[in-house]
Amino acid sequence: MPKRKVNENTHTTDKAVVRKTAAKYRETSTPNQASTNQGALSIGATLTVNATGWDKTRRNKTGEAEYAAKHGTDPAVNKMQSHITDKKWTKYINKHVGWVRRRVNELTLPWDQGQRRVPALMVPKVMKFIAEARAEYDRLVEEFVQKWPEIRKDCEVKHNGDFAKFAHLIPAADNLDAVRRRFVLSFNWNALGGLEDIHSDVREIWENQQQERFNAITEQLRERFRDKLNHLASRCAVAGDEGTRWAKSTLGHVVELCEMIPSMMEAEWVDNELLLAIDNAKHMLAGVDDDSIKSSKIVANEVRAKATEIANSLM
């Protein structure tokens, strides 16, 4: 796919209006913006999420050998793992961590080596999410910790004679602090420096890398918005039909992206076509809610047609 140029001057009235709209978003985005822009996060930051938990496994060599002897296979082609504790105990913790990773990806942009870029205007929103996500994680971990004597007993029963192999890996029933220390959910921030922090010899290389990254970011944001618009259109086609279900998130995801994407753009990088599409989507959804789509085929068909048109404009 050819690279799309961004932040170019255009001659259409609509796109000129959109550029002013983008500036307005930056001026009115968040109360904390002024203090954020004056600090180290003035052009954003990178973020990585790391998590370690309790789901420990050990290779079951005895089981591999017994299976090979019984079926005449080579032990090398049958790898067996034993879970030290039943996965049911950490089910909700692991589910929460997976959701946190997905949500961080939605609130941030792709960057380098597993890092995610957090645009300056998104820093307050991301930090608020992290605080809430961490509080829920701590609550789930504490539930696990308080059940630890029961979990340890369950482990002992299910492993039976093999429990002795794992006993040294499992804290005592009354050593709850040791259990807590096994769970870590960390969010690592690094401020992004500006051009003034880069030696002139490598500045050109940095600028080329920046352009490649921005091109990738543009494509991902367009794809996100297209996907949600196309999903909205497909659900509008059957909205209100007998036996069909309408999820509130169908409309909610489009509304959220309309509010969030402009804050993910930066002064030197603006996708005017995407901002125009967002303005069109906002106009399309003005006065429209879930009930009006479900109760009126006329409204549903109008939204379907317009959502498809907007999505196609971003191809």
Side-chain angles (χ1 to χ4, degrees):
M1 180 179 293
K3 292 182 179 178
R4 180 178 289 106
K5 295 181 179 180
V6 296
N7 202 29
E8 290 185 337
N9 291 326
T10 62
H11 300 285
T12 64
T13 303
D14 286 342
K15 292 185 178 181
V17 171
V18 168
R19 286 197 298 274
K20 293 180 181 179
T21 302
K24 179 185 69 176
Y25 277 121
R26 294 187 177 85
E27 292 170 1
T28 62
S29 178
T30 65
N32 297 327
Q33 180 182 346
S35 60
T36 299
N37 284 348
Q38 292 174 8
L41 302 181
S42 61
I43 63 170
T46 60
L47 174 66
T48 55
V49 181
N50 296 305
T52 58
W54 184 261
D55 289 337
K56 306 298 182 183
T57 60
R58 286 295 182 272
R59 185 177 173 185
N60 188 345
K61 294 183 179 180
T62 302
E64 292 173 6
E66 290 176 353
Y67 184 91
K70 181 178 179 180
H71 296 280
T73 62
D74 188 328
V77 301
N78 297 301
K79 303 298 182 184
M80 296 185 183
Q81 298 290 332
S82 293
H83 289 269
I84 296 177
T85 56
D86 193 318
K87 291 191 293 184
K88 70 179 183 181
W89 298 110
T90 52
K91 174 183 176 181
Y92 293 108
I93 296 175
N94 293 338
K95 184 177 180 180
H96 180 67
V97 170
W99 174 76
V100 168
R101 292 186 185 279
R102 291 191 298 273
R103 186 59 176 159
V104 165
N105 285 348
E106 291 173 356
L107 296 174
T108 60
L109 299 166
W111 207 237
D112 286 335
Q113 301 175 351
Q115 295 179 327
R116 303 291 299 180
R117 178 168 180 143
V118 187
L121 295 183
M122 289 297 292
V123 168
K125 184 180 183 72
V126 173
M127 293 182 74
K128 179 176 182 293
F129 166 74
I130 286 175
E132 294 170 349
R134 183 54 189 266
E136 176 63 8
Y137 178 80
D138 290 344
R139 185 189 69 79
L140 292 169
V141 168
E142 192 58 29
E143 282 187 359
F144 180 94
V145 170
Q146 295 306 316
K147 293 178 181 177
W148 177 244
E150 177 187 355
I151 295 170
R152 195 177 194 279
K153 183 64 177 177
D154 178 68
C155 178
E156 185 175 356
V157 170
K158 288 183 175 177
H159 280 289
N160 199 10
D162 285 345
F163 181 75
K165 298 178 182 179
F166 307 118
H168 66 289
L169 301 172
I170 303 177
D174 60 351
N175 192 357
L176 302 187
D177 285 340
V179 179
R180 287 190 187 92
R181 288 195 295 269
R182 300 290 183 92
F183 291 93
V184 177
L185 178 62
S186 62
F187 301 87
N188 303 314
W189 291 83
N190 286 297
L192 287 169
L195 282 175
E196 67 277 4
D197 301 322
I198 299 178
H199 194 277
S200 59
D201 292 344
V202 297
R203 185 172 299 182
E204 183 177 354
I205 297 174
W206 185 88
E207 289 175 339
N208 290 336
Q209 290 175 339
Q210 285 287 87
Q211 186 59 55
E212 291 175 1
R213 290 164 177 158
F214 287 149
N215 288 337
I217 288 170
T218 299
E219 291 303 329
Q220 186 185 91
L221 288 179
R222 283 176 170 240
E223 184 178 356
R224 283 193 205 179
F225 200 46
R226 283 199 308 266
D227 286 349
K228 298 306 181 186
L229 287 170
N230 285 329
H231 181 65
L232 173 63
S234 68
R235 299 311 299 161
C236 282
V238 295
D241 291 354
E242 185 177 353
T244 61
R245 175 179 174 272
W246 177 270
K248 289 185 177 181
S249 60
T250 302
L251 195 59
H253 285 153
V254 175
V255 172
E256 180 184 48
L257 287 179
C258 284
E259 297 301 324
M260 195 165 66
I261 288 177
S263 294
M264 290 180 147
M265 297 183 190
E266 303 182 26
E268 74 277 15
W269 161 71
V270 174
D271 184 342
N272 293 312
E273 290 180 357
L274 181 53
L275 286 177
L276 178 59
I278 288 171
D279 278 0
N280 288 337
K282 284 187 169 184
H283 180 72
M284 168 187 72
L285 297 177
V288 175
D289 58 19
D290 297 296
D291 290 336
S292 62
I293 293 176
K294 290 187 293 182
S295 61
S296 172
K297 277 292 183 183
I298 295 176
V299 173
N301 287 332
E302 287 178 350
V303 172
R304 177 187 58 79
K306 189 62 178 177
T308 301
E309 178 186 338
I310 296 171
N312 289 340
S313 73
L314 295 174
M315 297 296 290

